[in-house]
Amino acid sequence: MGNGTDGFSRRDLLMAAGALSLTSLEPVGKLLAADRDQQPEKPVGFAILGLGSYAQNQIMPSFADCKKAKLVAVISGTPDKAKRVAERYNLPPTAIYNYENLENIKNNPEIEVVYIISPPSTHRDFTLRSAAAGKHVCSEKPMEATSKACQEMIDACKKAGKLLQIGYRSHYQNHNLRAMEICRSGQLGPLRSLISEHGFNMPNGTWRTKKSLAGGGALWDIGIYALQAVQYLAGTKPTEVVALRHDLKEDRFKDVDDVSHFALSFPNGCLANCATGYSWAGANNYRVMGQYGRLEADPATGYSGHQLRLNGRLLEIADNNQFAAQMDHFADCIRNQKPVRTPGEMGLQDIRILEAILLSAREGRSVKIV
Ligand code: NDP
């Protein structure tokens, strides 16, 4: 099964917005309820690879809220931790794998998906090995360090006939889905300007400040949320970027980027201004200026506590478990041959844009996005 070729096709965006057509915009809650009423089917078995912070604190506990996805195995390079985590989730010792014997998962039919939650520069190898073992792959963001590695991940999954999802959880989160609906509905008028800031203070001493593991710095880790947001709000891909970059003269920025500002031009006449940084007190927001209306989200893409305002009025939107929704969506795609809402092509497109941002900042010129 292929993923389609467009990172942000019209169909993907409509699906992401939970909207079946431009004229029948149903409330997100109603669509989710309809989803819940479907006939029960065998849950899709997930193996979690990399038992770090995001896996243990967000993803693994969320299986309790999944209707279609089930935790069946762990893959870890730290045996004590793997044993402890497996026990916590009542997994038998036979469901514990490591990075050396990963290929053995091919003999375990319970495992249908490998969900890769390790540092970005490891995503390619783990994807290639998982796909070759006959498993679908979900890879965390950023998809990889380079666009070349991303392309290899896509090719490997295609060759194996397996689906590839990128863990862009905001596409499964109610406030963000509503924001996409509003932008698509026309009630803001033509979209003119998009603004998004995402950043925080990153301490030194983890893989996140090592280029060899992280791929890049703030841009790759958190700036990608701003880049994603302006694209899913604009509903199309940008064509050109202009960027500026400034790094503090500190050890933590010897290897990776700190503050970047980048402007994107969209073919629908809309411009975006994005900023990111690893030396910020913190920001997580976006704003949409239409010709007749304004939409603001702050916090916009956190784990919880989202707030969305339309023309200054706070919208009442029930929060959902976006992590569970992301995994259930992938399970549904696998069981029912549906296109993945956040496919590898979308992850690849973003890494290409990040590469263009660095090039623009380095050479002091605008760069066309191909
Ligand atoms: P952590 O450092 O907390 O965990 C990473 C885990 O990856 C480690 O605990 C380790 O697990 C495994 N690992 C495998 N190879 C390596 C290696 N060479 N060096 C270090 N660890 C390795 O990171 P996070 O959980 O915060 O991030 C992991 C991935 O998830 C990243 O791609 C990140 O961008 C993404 N992420 C996504 C978020 C989202 O909201 N979508 C939020 C946070 C992170 P083990 O010991 O079991 O082998």
Side-chain angles (χ1 to χ4, degrees):
M1 274 175 278
N3 278 330
T5 52
D6 248 8
F8 273 95
S9 70
R10 180 181 166 84
R11 183 200 56 205
D12 290 342
L13 281 157
L14 287 172
M15 290 188 63
L20 300 177
S21 78
L22 282 172
T23 49
S24 69
L25 293 173
E26 297 206 53
V28 168
K30 198 171 160 193
L31 288 166
L32 292 176
D35 219 24
R36 271 198 303 274
D37 293 341
Q38 283 180 4
Q39 290 300 311
E41 54 198 356
K42 185 175 181 283
V44 170
F46 278 58
I48 297 296
L49 186 155
L51 305 178
S53 166
Y54 188 57
Q56 286 204 56
N57 297 323
Q58 272 71 45
I59 295 300
M60 298 180 81
S62 294
F63 281 104
D65 287 334
C66 284
K67 306 278 183 294
K68 301 171 183 217
K70 184 183 166 195
L71 176 66
V72 296
V74 293
I75 305 168
S76 168
T78 313
D80 292 355
K81 180 173 59 175
K83 185 167 178 290
R84 224 176 33 247
V85 172
E87 280 169 4
R88 191 182 311 149
Y89 287 94
N90 296 317
L91 299 174
T94 50
I96 302 174
Y97 298 84
N98 58 49
Y99 303 140
E100 283 71 45
N101 70 16
L102 167 57
E103 276 66 25
N104 293 348
I105 61 174
K106 70 173 178 293
N107 302 318
N108 185 344
E110 285 286 293
I111 302 174
E112 294 178 74
V113 174
V114 176
Y115 188 169
I116 299 168
I117 317 183
S118 52
S121 296
T122 65
H123 294 175
R124 173 197 167 277
D125 282 2
F126 286 138
T127 297
L128 266 54
R129 294 171 69 189
S130 302
K135 309 301 176 184
H136 303 283
V137 174
C138 175
S139 166
E140 255 316 314
K141 49 59 59 182
M143 185 169 170
E144 244 286 354
T146 66
S147 51
K148 179 172 178 289
C150 295
Q151 188 63 61
E152 288 171 22
M153 291 164 71
I154 292 169
D155 293 345
C157 289
K158 280 215 171 110
K159 185 173 165 212
K162 297 292 152 186
L163 294 183
L164 175 58
Q165 180 190 42
I166 306 302
Y168 284 143
R169 58 181 167 73
S170 297
H171 288 256
Y172 307 91
Q173 197 281 327
N174 279 354
H175 294 72
N176 283 279
L177 291 170
R178 179 68 69 82
M180 294 178 215
E181 277 181 8
I182 290 170
C183 287
R184 256 13 122 252
S185 72
Q187 58 187 300
L188 302 178
L191 305 185
R192 302 296 295 134
S193 294
L194 305 163
I195 295 174
S196 184
E197 301 158 321
H198 277 74
F200 58 93
N201 253 307
M202 174 55 67
N204 207 356
T206 75
W207 60 261
R208 281 185 165 84
T209 53
K210 292 191 184 77
K211 191 173 185 324
S212 60
L213 281 169
L219 275 169
W220 260 248
D221 189 38
I222 184 77
I224 200 163
Y225 285 91
L227 174 60
Q228 264 285 304
V230 296
Q231 291 179 95
Y232 59 68
L233 296 166
T236 179
K237 297 185 225 178
T239 52
E240 192 172 0
V241 64
V242 183
L244 290 170
R245 173 179 163 192
H246 199 280
D247 303 335
L248 280 181
K249 303 279 175 284
E250 293 182 7
D251 270 359
R252 57 185 170 147
F253 304 120
K254 274 190 174 152
D255 216 16
V256 297
D257 53 277
D258 176 15
V259 172
S260 297
H261 287 214
F262 52 98
L264 298 161
S265 172
F266 289 90
N268 57 1
C270 185
L271 292 177
N273 264 345
C274 299
T276 189
Y278 257 178
S279 58
W280 286 6
N284 181 308
N285 62 58
Y286 54 69
R287 269 171 289 159
V288 182
M289 264 66 75
Q291 203 166 336
Y292 311 118
R294 197 175 78 248
L295 190 66
E296 292 155 296
D298 191 351
T301 62
Y303 293 157
S304 61
H306 303 83
Q307 296 214 331
L308 187 65
R309 287 186 163 75
L310 178 59
N311 297 324
R313 183 175 58 88
L314 185 65
L315 299 180
E316 276 185 36
I317 301 168
D319 218 337
N320 65 325
N321 185 333
Q322 58 189 314
F323 317 103
Q326 176 196 299
M327 293 189 282
D328 271 347
H329 169 76
F330 197 39
D332 190 32
C333 293
I334 290 166
R335 282 282 176 273
N336 300 304
Q337 292 80 45
K338 293 182 181 169
V340 179
R341 195 181 293 172
T342 52
E345 286 78 4
M346 188 184 278
L348 165 65
Q349 170 75 9
D350 288 348
I351 302 300
R352 279 196 182 129
I353 298 172
L354 295 183
E355 290 170 344
I357 290 169
L358 288 188
L359 179 66
S360 169
R362 194 166 58 243
E363 298 194 351
R365 63 178 176 89
S366 73
V367 175
K368 298 267 185 242
I369 295 162
V370 284

